[in-house]
Amino acid sequence: MSLPVKTQWIPIAPGFEGYLALPPAGRGPGLVLFQEIFGVNAHIRAVAEQYALDGFVVLAPDVFWRAAPRVELGYEGADRERAFGLMQGYAADQALADIAASVKALRARPEVGSAKVGAFGYCMGGRLAYLAAATTDVDAAVPFYGGGIHTQLEHARSIRCPVQFHYAEKDDHIPPSAVEAVREAMAGRQAEVHVYPGAMHGFNCWARASYHAPSAALAHGRATAFLARTLF
């Protein structure tokens, strides 16, 4: 029996690739999935396939392509240190260029056609999804525990699409004051902010010690319902 989701690596720009996951129907609205600092690893690829099963054409761009193409890292020890190093070397102008190129490449896919396109991501990828909402023509965005969003709230005034934020209550990297700053900056816009009691940073990733199944399941349900409303 063949798998219902077909996957492949595709070019986005010269030297820049992304992992594409197609839904069982073969076409649908597009979703750009921005990675954590650990690369387009097994977990991110599985998330791409998860949302493809929900009916979306998902593209996970390999944003560390300049320094470490297709890098796949774990969550502890030397891998974690390398991941932070890659993030620190990822310049803001590079990120904005990669965001724009990824959205453009996904919109150009025949499997998406004239359908809408959204962006989502985790940790660093959550921040990139937020920036996609502010700097591109995406139709919706879903940042999961996006680190650093509260330091870039000047971009909030440029956001015209609906955005759904997901945060952990016990996040060592994103304090409650940062979540409230995001909530205040997005007041009056099409925005939802959800906080998950008892959850820690990285609660969606089943490969991490901080995985919290109840929060992950609830967040996935909220995200897919939100994306169904805004993209289909």
Side-chain angles (χ1 to χ4, degrees):
M1 181 177 174
S2 62
L3 293 175
V5 171
K6 291 182 169 54
T7 64
Q8 62 178 309
W9 284 89
I10 65 165
I12 294 174
F16 182 22
E17 295 182 307
Y19 183 77
L20 182 73
L22 299 179
R27 59 187 300 110
L31 276 179
V32 181
L33 164 56
F34 291 107
Q35 63 178 68
E36 294 180 300
I37 64 175
F38 307 100
V40 183
N41 60 10
H43 173 254
I44 292 297
R45 296 195 303 273
V47 171
E49 294 160 20
Q50 179 183 32
Y51 280 79
L53 283 171
D54 292 324
F56 300 96
V57 177
V58 186
L59 176 63
D62 177 26
V63 300
F64 289 154
W65 62 278
R66 296 173 184 85
R70 294 206 197 181
V71 68
E72 293 191 42
L73 299 171
Y75 304 97
E76 303 296 338
D79 272 14
R80 183 177 178 84
E81 291 180 13
R82 187 182 182 201
F84 274 99
L86 288 169
M87 178 185 67
Q88 290 163 2
Y90 189 43
D93 60 336
Q94 295 174 338
L96 292 175
D98 290 346
I99 290 167
S102 299
V103 173
K104 181 179 178 181
L106 188 55
R107 283 200 183 277
R109 294 294 303 184
E111 300 91 348
V112 174
S114 60
K116 294 180 179 180
V117 169
F120 74 123
Y122 301 84
C123 190
M124 177 189 76
R127 183 173 70 252
L128 298 184
Y130 164 79
L131 290 172
T135 64
T136 77
D137 61 353
V138 293
D139 300 289
V142 184
F144 286 79
Y145 35 88
I149 291 176
H150 66 287
T151 68
Q152 300 186 33
L153 292 177
E154 69 276 9
H155 291 290
R157 66 177 69 96
S158 301
I159 295 176
R160 300 289 180 266
C161 68
V163 184
Q164 185 183 69
F165 297 88
H166 300 269
Y167 287 104
E169 179 190 40
K170 298 181 177 180
D171 195 318
D172 292 336
H173 306 282
I174 307 172
S177 59
V179 178
E180 287 310 305
V182 171
R183 196 190 300 273
E184 290 175 12
M186 296 299 294
R189 302 183 182 277
Q190 300 177 77
E192 303 174 16
V193 179
H194 299 286
V195 178
Y196 295 83
M200 300 169 64
H201 190 83
F203 67 78
N204 182 75
C205 181
W206 50 81
R208 299 177 70 166
S210 57
Y211 175 57
H212 193 245
S215 297
L218 180 55
H220 178 243
R222 284 171 168 164
T224 51
F226 172 80
L227 293 167
R229 292 195 305 270
T230 55
L231 299 184
F232 277 101

